[in-house]
Amino acid sequence: MISENLLIVTAHAEFLDAALDELRDLDKRLTRVELLALGIVLCATPDVTSLARLAAEQHPIFVRHIAPVQAIVPLTNTEQDVSELAAAIASLPTFEQLEPGQRFAVQTRLIQADDNTVNTVKRPYSSGYLNQALAEAIAQETRAVESIKKPQIVVSLLCTTEKVYAGISLAQENLSDWPGARHFAQTPEQISRSEFKLLEALEVFGVTLPARGRALDLGAAPGGWTRLLLEAGLHVVAVDPARLDPRLAKQPRLEHYRGYAETYLENAVETHKSFEIIVNDMRMDARDAARLLGQATKCLRRDGFVISVFKLPHATREINPLATLKEALRLLSRYYGIVQARQLFHNRQEVTVITAQPNK
């Protein structure tokens, strides 16, 4: 079945409604068609491309990924699916975007079980196999060049147990590089899972750690973010009452302040300390974190920036986590000229915020 007005939207399951509200702010015609899996919803709008472009410009907080659905193909869950998918993709009107020399990638996401059953479907292929087989067929047909890491064009496939939702789009209109979870390789030096949050934030916000200077790590223990900052070449002040990982003990560019962030910042302001970057992953209310980072502007260089995780409460009748976030961002905007927030793949009940241009 050929379609022109459908799209897949993904978000953290708890924030899916918030993500759809963000898109409706951009296009009031957006409707929810079907929940395909946890955090994955099929939507409809008369102009999918315009909505995707607006979303790419506006940087919504909770929408993780968007992919157009231009064809829906039945699955038999046999080897025959590969050739059927190749033919369906080649018949799409958008297939002509795949010109000689264009960089493209095939991105497949498999949903392994129906929402109504605990039984997982057995397939003779993996997502990696589909990506490779379809990419080879596309390259042979069009002379476009497969480029997994830096594609210009993306062929998106979401496979449920019974059908595939397929589409072709510009990579920049998908909001993220990959429709599933963003994975980073574990290393022997890794101290904590939270390192992935900082790595993803740097990637999503398009910034790099300074190669020299001073960094302030608030809520540092056990030291995952501290390790990454040290690895980049920075002198790090790690602030936390708890101990750091023993592997950091002999680092010559590390100072560990075993106390609370509020106390350290009061002293840092009085003694005119200055930092190229300030990071924060403390377990505190998002509004309190915003006030603390407002105080920290006095210690941040004019060309410096802040990366902070804002913890959000779970929704109840009395508590609205989105209202908490909006108030925290409003507070931050008093102190910084640039404030952006995203709910990253490695975030849980939280969002990651970047700020720059402190208002001093």
Side-chain angles (χ1 to χ4, degrees), residues 201-216:
L202 295 169
E203 183 178 275
V204 168
F205 293 122
V207 296
T208 56
L209 293 174
R212 61 179 64 86
R214 291 168 58 83
L216 177 61

Side-chain angles (χ1 to χ4, degrees), residues 80-326:
Q80 184 180 349
D81 289 340
V82 181
S83 58
E84 293 289 339
L85 284 173
I89 291 168
S91 68
L92 293 177
T94 47
F95 189 72
E96 63 186 22
Q97 296 179 29
L98 293 159
E99 299 174 342
Q102 281 274 31
R103 301 190 309 275
F104 79 96
V106 180
Q107 297 181 351
T108 302
R109 187 171 185 180
L110 302 181
I111 298 174
Q112 294 294 352
D114 286 324
D115 291 338
N116 300 323
T117 178
V118 296
N119 297 320
T120 58
V121 63
K122 294 182 179 180
R123 312 179 200 259
Y125 47 78
S126 64
S127 59
Y129 177 84
L130 278 181
N131 289 344
Q132 182 179 359
L134 294 173
E136 288 176 357
I138 291 169
Q140 184 175 4
E141 175 74 17
T142 66
R143 289 186 291 137
V145 179
E146 185 183 19
S147 176
I148 296 173
K149 292 187 176 180
K150 293 292 182 182
Q152 298 165 293
I153 306 292
V154 173
V155 180
S156 300
L157 302 173
L158 177 70
C159 305
T160 67
T161 57
E162 297 179 347
K163 60 188 74 172
V164 175
Y165 300 86
I168 299 173
S169 60
L170 296 176
Q172 64 194 33
E173 295 169 0
N174 292 62
L175 295 187
S176 64
D177 292 335
W178 187 246
R182 176 67 174 93
H183 293 292
F184 294 93
Q186 290 187 328
T187 65
E189 299 82 16
Q190 183 179 332
I191 289 174
S192 66
R193 173 194 170 277
S194 68
E195 292 184 27
F196 296 148
K197 288 194 284 187
L198 180 56
L199 291 172
E200 187 181 357
L202 295 169
E203 183 178 275
V204 168
F205 293 122
V207 296
T208 56
L209 293 174
R212 61 179 64 86
R214 291 168 58 83
L216 177 61
D217 186 358
L218 303 174
W225 287 26
T226 292
R227 186 188 76 80
L228 294 175
L229 295 167
L230 288 167
E231 191 177 72
L234 292 159
H235 180 107
V236 182
V237 178
V239 178
D240 203 300
R243 295 180 181 274
L244 298 179
D245 189 282
R247 287 172 287 180
L248 298 173
K250 296 182 180 180
Q251 290 285 346
R253 289 178 282 106
L254 173 61
E255 300 176 44
H256 182 196
Y257 178 86
R258 293 199 64 180
Y260 294 102
E262 295 88 340
T263 306
Y264 178 82
L265 282 174
E266 288 176 5
N267 177 264
V269 171
E270 290 176 1
T271 56
H272 305 289
K273 287 186 169 57
S274 178
F275 298 94
E276 273 70 25
I277 179 173
I278 298 174
V279 299
N280 168 53
D281 193 19
M282 285 187 291
R283 295 185 180 278
M284 62 166 52
D285 183 278
R287 294 159 295 190
D288 292 333
R291 294 185 187 98
L292 191 71
L293 295 175
Q295 181 183 355
T297 57
K298 299 174 183 177
C299 300
L300 186 66
R301 291 174 56 91
R302 171 60 64 180
D303 57 350
F305 61 95
V306 174
I307 294 179
S308 176
V309 175
F310 277 5
K311 313 294 180 179
L312 299 177
H314 290 279
T316 67
R317 288 184 178 181
E318 297 78 22
I319 299 174
N320 183 345
L322 303 185
T324 298
L325 176 61
K326 287 180 181 178

